[in-house]
Amino acid sequence: MMPNERKLRDAFIAALGVAPDAAVETFTYRGIKEWDSVAHMQLIAGIEAAFDIMLDTADVLGMSSYAIARTIVVRHGVDIEA
Amino acid sequence: MPLLSRPPSESAPALIDGAETWSHARLNDAVDAAARSLGAAGPLGFLWCRNDRATIVGYLAALRARRAVALFDADTDPIDAAALVACYRPAWQLGPRPAGDDYVSAGDASLPELRLRRQLDATPIHADLAVLLSTSGTTGSRKLVRLSAAAVTHNARAIAEALAIEPDARALTSLPLHYSYGLSVLASHLVAGAAVIITSDGLMADALWRTVREHRCTSIAAVPYGYQILRRLDLDRLDVPSVTTLTQAGGRLEPALVTHFAELMRRRGGRFHAMYGQTEATARMTVLPHDAAFTHPASVGVPLRGGAVAIDAGEIVYRGPNVMLGYATDRADLSRGDDLRGELRTGDLGFVDADGFLHVTGRVSRFAKVHGTRISLDEVEALARLAPEAGPVAAIGGVDKVIVYCEGAAADTLPARLRRLAARLRVHPSALSLRAIDALPRTANGKVDYARLGAEGA
């Protein structure tokens, strides 16, 4: 796995408090009990810190899955393949 | 009639639920029908709450039928739920949970989810008892607050007056209905002839904001953590100009955030109200007048009509018609009458300032003993927050030590912060331990989860 993809995964694992090998790619907001609004705030802060980016209102509300989070960080200029 | 009013127009909306809107007249009819079904049921019921119309009708019907009802989260753990049923032995249950072998389905058109107990428990229920609510954010606790119908009705009216809720107001059910604050949003709007917009989405869900826009919601209630979310989302960027009232309760909101949201509301001709309450007082005790948010942002305001606040040995003591009858920890307690006589020792520390505004400074019981000295953990937190670089902090008592968790703190800043904090508290630095933590554990309500923090520190 590339370092930036790893960073995103780690941000999810830390914010949701799930096991390091959890299938975060399948998670959706409120789809699992660990991903509640409290965890979501922490996830947003974690992703911002990991990539040194500033997410806007639409990003915060729209980040409802791992795949969408990936799209959002790419839009903020992160090379997820790097 | 408790909580239902005769608004200027009975066709005015009461419940707005997706595409369907119920007028006050229609709600009234539905509650009448459901109350007839509950009238035939026994004297105590459990209502497993979701944020939906069936829960609201069930609650209002219980009040109308004068059937005491206990409100619980429908998502309560099944083992805890079974223990609650075994402890209180309700005659009927409403809601989306299996009721257990002791109950049979008795649903009808007005109450599809009604289940009746096969063998009624004869332990008497006091005639004044109307509503039972859990005290804590944790679900499954057997300790319940006993409230009279008079307390529930009085508090709803007093809140509607203090917040100047007009019949054209539309409040969002942004909090759970089994939570006293969430229930008070419903009650205060219905008594004012206003409407609630039903949602079970969280503040972080796009769907919630679509609902706010579509139904022109005017009022949102949130706890302090909700205000952190709202600040992060930036209300002005959410395109919800109809929202002109924000209310806050459920713990202390930082004065800087009070000022922030008061200013944000003022710019759109609206109001922000910081408030103070406890389930033990039905919901609300004091409200900060919206214009006082700028002059007294650290205050929770003045008592509601009929209420009075006094300070006894530092503790806030509230008197008013909305004070609970007392606690219950088992079925036998439900036969008890008014234990408190309208006087509630809140367990909160506070003071009344020169202008008559109440300030809440902490909890009576949150003290740690360090080397024989009592240290207020709330004071430790307040002082630890003074550091210019401080984020959220939480202090717990350890063995002869106060442990202060500093969210998002850089480890290399902690030694200097520890020295300054020890000097301010006038304790030896060895009495304190500052630890960096990525994120403080929080409860579903967004409050710091001290129990989990304590478990991690052990």
Side-chain angles (χ1 to χ4, degrees), chain B residues 50-67:
Chain B
R50 300 157 297 198
N51 275 12
D52 65 7
R53 212 162 47 206
T55 296
I56 293 171
V57 169
Y59 172 62
L60 296 172
L63 286 178
R64 181 168 294 187
R66 303 177 66 84
R67 295 303 194 203

Side-chain angles (χ1 to χ4, degrees), chain B residues 100-319:
Chain B
D101 294 341
D102 296 332
Y103 293 81
V104 291
S105 277
D108 58 23
S110 65
L111 289 172
E113 293 172 327
L114 180 63
R115 271 107 42 185
L116 299 176
R117 192 173 177 91
R118 294 173 199 271
Q119 294 262 274
L120 283 193
D121 191 290
T123 318
I125 306 286
H126 196 279
D128 289 343
L129 179 63
V131 179
L132 292 152
L133 295 174
S134 297
T135 51
S136 57
T138 56
T139 56
S141 167
R142 291 184 196 189
K143 188 175 178 185
L144 302 179
V145 164
R146 295 182 286 120
L147 300 170
S148 69
V152 170
T153 305
H154 187 280
N155 204 221
R157 292 204 174 116
I159 293 167
E161 288 170 24
L163 299 181
I165 299 173
E166 299 290 336
D168 60 356
R170 296 174 164 209
L172 195 65
T173 60
S174 46
L175 297 162
L177 288 169
H178 61 268
Y179 171 39
S180 58
Y181 184 14
L183 196 62
S184 76
V185 171
L186 172 76
S188 59
H189 282 79
L190 290 183
V191 289
V196 296
I197 302 168
I198 299 172
T199 181
S200 31
D201 291 313
L203 294 174
M204 206 77 88
D206 208 17
L208 178 135
W209 298 106
R210 282 200 300 272
T211 301
V212 167
R213 268 176 233 122
E214 182 183 353
H215 297 296
R216 297 186 306 285
C217 166
T218 65
S219 178
I220 292 178
V223 297
Y225 196 65
Y227 279 95
Q228 291 188 27
I229 293 174
L230 288 177
R231 184 173 62 171
R232 185 64 184 77
L233 290 176
D234 190 351
L235 209 60
D236 279 338
R237 299 191 61 178
L238 284 167
D239 185 27
V240 287
S242 60
V243 176
T244 48
T245 301
L246 295 177
T247 65
Q248 177 269 323
R252 178 182 179 278
L253 186 66
E254 288 169 40
L257 278 183
V258 171
T259 312
H260 171 85
F261 283 103
E263 175 58 28
L264 192 155
M265 282 292 109
R266 194 187 59 78
R267 283 202 306 270
R268 54 172 76 182
R271 298 164 300 170
F272 172 83
H273 286 286
M275 314 189 293
Y276 166 62
Q278 286 186 349
T279 302
E280 286 85 343
T282 304
R284 204 61 46 231
M285 290 184 275
T286 68
V287 170
L288 183 64
H290 67 96
D291 47 359
F294 298 101
T295 53
H296 299 74
S299 162
V300 291
V302 295
L304 296 176
R305 175 177 59 82
V309 160
I311 307 296
D312 179 29
E315 182 181 7
I316 299 167
V317 179
Y318 176 87
R319 288 197 63 85

Side-chain angles (χ1 to χ4, degrees), chain A residues 14 29-30 36-42 44-45 48 53-58 60-62, chain B residues 200-206 209 225 228-229 232-234 237-238 439-440 442-444 446:
Chain A
Y29 176 51
R30 296 182 97 194
D36 57 10
S37 64
V38 174
H40 194 73
M41 281 283 277
Q42 291 171 5
I44 297 296
E48 287 184 334
I53 56 178
M54 187 72 193
L55 301 176
D56 61 27
T57 302
V60 175
L61 288 176
Chain B
S200 31
D201 291 313
L203 294 174
M204 206 77 88
D206 208 17
W209 298 106
Y225 196 65
Q228 291 188 27
I229 293 174
R232 185 64 184 77
L233 290 176
D234 190 351
R237 299 191 61 178
L238 284 167
L440 293 168
R442 292 183 185 274
T443 65

Side-chain angles (χ1 to χ4, degrees), chain B residues 319-335:
Chain B
R319 288 197 63 85
N322 50 317
V323 169
M324 66 174 174
L325 302 170
Y327 290 113
T329 53
D330 61 22
R331 172 67 186 250
D333 285 343
L334 303 190
S335 63

Side-chain angles (χ1 to χ4, degrees), chain B residues 72-95:
Chain B
F72 299 104
D73 186 350
D75 290 330
T76 301
D77 179 88
I79 293 169
D80 293 338
L84 283 165
V85 170
C87 180
Y88 286 101
R89 304 182 293 282
W92 49 271
Q93 297 190 56
L94 278 175

